[in-house]
Amino acid sequence: MWRRLLVRRLALGLLTLWLVSLVVFAATLALPGDAATAILGKQATPERVQALREQLHLNEPVTTQYVNWIGGILTGDLGTSAATQQPVAELISTQIWNTVFLVVVAALIAIPVSLGLGVLAAVRRDRTVDHVISTAALVLASLPEFVVSIILILLFATTVLQVLPAVSMLGPGQPAWEVPQSVILPAAALVLMVSPYIIRMMRGSMVEVLESEYVTMARLKGLSERAVIWRHAFPNAVAPAIQVTALQLAWMTGGVVVVEFVFRYPGIGQALVEAVSTRDLPVVQAVTLLAAAVYVGLNLLADIVTTLITPKLRTAEQ
Amino acid sequence: MEDLSASSYTKGKMSNERPQNPLEKPISRRQLLRGALAGGVLLTGGGMLSACGGNDSGKVGTGSIRNGGTLRVGATGGGPSDSIDAHVLVSDPDIARAFQLYEPLAIRNTDYKLEMVVAESIEPEARPDVWTVRLKPDIIFHNGKRVTADDVLFSLQRIVDPDNPKTGAASISYIDIKRSKKLDERTVRVQLQIPNVNFPDDVGQYFNGIVPKDYDPKQPVGTGPFKFESFEPGQQSAFSKFPDYWREGQPHVDELKIIDFPDDTARVNALLGGQVEAITNLPTSQIASIKQTGQLRPLIANTGNWQPFTMRVDQAPFNDERVGQAMRLIVDRQQMIEQALVGYGRVANDLYSPYDICYAGDEFEQRQQDLEQARSLLRQAGQSDLRVQLITSPVYQGIVEAAQVFAEQAKGAGVTVNMRKVDTGTFYGNSYLNWTFAQDFWFTRTYLGQVSQGSMPDSPFNETHWEDPEFLKLIQEARAELNDDKRCELLQEAQRIEYERGGYIVWSFSDQIDAYSVEVAGFEPSKTGMPLGNYGFRRVGNVA
């Protein structure tokens, strides 16, 4: 049964991606000016705009541009950047890996730490530890990402301490993992942004499970508190947290844009901001489509994991 | 696509970033204070205003410079379409790079004197439509070859190429390249289509660098103080000292890095965190906090930069010159400078090019706010309750703010200004140069140089659609007049016409504000309006 579900969800995901590509295309069309005027700026005299449009192949009708592009995607070719005439894949490959690295580092820290803190807060419910964790989570959840980023910069890079770089300054083609200290602050900002939601969800569902009858039963059987929490309560409480985690990770692919911009981190977020300002349609399309694919993919993954760890869902209709 | 040359390529190996050792620095009270200030500014978006503008331009002290080391500079803007081509310059980092790699025949220095660079002399014949360019004997390209007449002709040809006009094409399109020729290895005879005494200035621009005749922008070669090492568009570029540079003792540093910063906050943070030694375009709201640190200094330069309001004199309502005059009388210039430029500017008198020897702005009565007079002019023009749309866009610091101030001040004369703020893409889109009432920004130029750019019927940027026959005749005469006094007489008359019925409202000459660390010295303020003393990194070194 769940295999059929998977196929259906995959098909829906692909449909979503195609719709996203259309919406992004329409939205970029609504932007005034094109790559030629955006690049030339103040120097956009008719003669130079004309010459540059020729060079950039912007004189083709937009529908042709779109059809060429979508045809390329289907054959694995992301197209050619309008602003630089380089293959898009080549242009953004380093940046994609930089972002993947950043998001993975943030996720590897955020997920176990938040799940752990959520459990801790639930077990110590209404005691000091719980109050501290819950309040901190609430405060962090209410701050926009750029404020968190700037506070981190003030604390660790410019004002109070100068132990970490305020911005990344990587050499040409140098991947971020070769300069690990440039990842610390952006990753910390992302962790602080996504953790509160996971913590609160984990705490909530854990509190509920701890009050259930089978937990009381397990305790009455004389199992150690440790076994009660991790073997009996946690697996049943984690399902809702997984859904929230997936949503938060998906959010990261968007939130990373702001964080990358503030820290000048050379990832796809920065590529997207630059591509919009130069009206580089193929790059905007590629990056947005990628972000949408990650969003769809993570949700799909969350559904699969939830199904696998929830016996009721896993064995349904069998 | 050689011209956009966007691929990232590297010559030699890149060294990693110099590791920092900030742990060794104890935190002082002062640093804490600076943090509090910077934080306040960053979080509130700038409530911290410096008390007043002024003359504390950061002339470097007597600290002696030692040779060697690295200089890292944060430049404003930049993106994937950045170019390192000598003749295709769009973003600020492009310009910063051009100043290091390439040199034109001559250039206006920080004091706005025309200084011969690759040329030894640029002399007109009896009629200034033929000029003889004599090259310095000892100028060498980074590839070791000597600069010759062929290289000069090749460079000029490359710039004005009609199939692919470069940045400088608009200012020297009057060169008759076919009839220009080499006289000997060091001498070129340049033929113009019209007489023009401003030729040395027009050709002497940073975007008209001299390149070798086998120039390839992928391996950029020029005669500048620094050699190319690596370039990644939108990220950073690296350069090394050119040991055979013709100016004795320069440059001081061995390595130079220019880093792109599209975001103001990130650029200031990099300076505060010690990741760069200098940045361009310090936001005015940050000047006070920078000074507080004791480790950083603002570099404030009085310039001839101007950010005019542009009125199309061929369209209603501005085709009635009384309306244009009324608009100019509406502006309280000092107030606009205080509010839009945080005080960092000097009052202007509706004329441009203050450093031109023929500048007449000080000769005429300083125009001041006179709402009574403005109302009466509008009444005479039948426009008592005038409504106009003003197109504004954040294309330069202070522009949108100036539009807001103008809209407010106009109410005093009964004029309703409907402000339409558009993004830069729209501003430079299809209606660019055709807006009825808008704004623009210009850097310091000579009067004739500016007129060619914006005030002639065939100017590429004639945004006011100014086509005054009397003015035109005076300019044509002045272009052919080699005698300074006689030419200034003609230009004074031309400026009177613009002062009386031109389409610009020139309310200020704004200051250029940059910042640098006390660990380096050698920056000097420049009147040209180019940041960091015309990006004069050859003069800069680490303090001994």
Side-chain angles (χ1 to χ4, degrees), chain B residues 485-504:
Chain B
D485 292 339
K486 285 185 191 161
R487 190 173 68 254
C488 283
E489 243 170 71
L490 294 164
L491 291 184
Q492 175 130 7
E493 202 41 45
Q495 289 174 80
R496 179 183 300 283
I497 295 170
E498 277 202 291
Y499 175 76
E500 280 166 4
R501 46 180 199 261
Y504 285 123

Side-chain angles (χ1 to χ4, degrees), chain A residues 32 39 42 159 162 167 170 264, chain B residues 22 35 90 235 260 275 426 432:
Chain A
I39 289 171
K42 183 169 163 52
T159 305
Q162 292 193 4
V167 297
L170 305 174
R264 197 183 168 276
Chain B
V90 178
Q235 299 295 329
D260 287 20
Q275 289 182 281
T426 312
Y432 180 46

Side-chain angles (χ1 to χ4, degrees), chain B residues 445-460:
Chain B
R445 275 198 166 75
T446 59
Y447 186 71
L448 278 175
Q450 181 62 45
V451 165
S452 309
Q453 290 288 303
S455 295
M456 295 293 274
D458 58 353
S459 297

Side-chain angles (χ1 to χ4, degrees), chain B residues 369-412:
Chain B
Q369 188 182 50
D370 187 341
L371 297 174
E372 270 317 298
Q373 179 74 7
R375 272 176 193 278
S376 129
L377 281 164
L378 289 170
R379 209 164 31 240
Q380 288 167 34
Q383 298 277 9
S384 293
D385 50 351
L386 178 64
R387 308 176 77 86
V388 286
Q389 186 180 57
L390 171 60
I391 308 292
T392 189
S393 180
V395 290
Y396 196 81
Q397 272 198 45
I399 284 207
V400 176
E401 290 80 355
Q404 284 160 344
V405 174
F406 183 80
E408 202 52 45
Q409 292 177 348
K411 285 181 191 161

Side-chain angles (χ1 to χ4, degrees), chain A residues 32 39 42-43 48 55 84-85 158-163 165-167 169-170 172-174 264 270 274 279, chain B residues 1 16-17 22-23 27 34-35 80 89-90 164-165 232 235-236 259-261 275 423 426 432 440-441 461:
Chain A
I39 289 171
K42 183 169 163 52
Q43 302 171 14
R48 293 200 67 204
Q55 287 174 24
T84 66
Q85 293 300 292
T158 57
T159 305
V160 182
L161 297 170
Q162 292 193 4
V163 289
V167 297
M169 301 204 309
L170 305 174
Q174 189 180 28
R264 197 183 168 276
Q270 207 192 44
E274 282 168 352
R279 302 288 189 268
Chain B
M1 264 328 299
N16 280 349
E17 288 304 318
L23 274 174
I27 308 154
R34 140 173 134 199
L89 301 101
V90 178
N164 185 5
E232 188 173 13
Q235 299 295 329
Q236 63 167 281
I259 300 131
D260 287 20
F261 283 96
Q275 289 182 281
D423 75 293
T426 312
Y432 180 46
D440 199 2
F441 66 96
F461 304 99

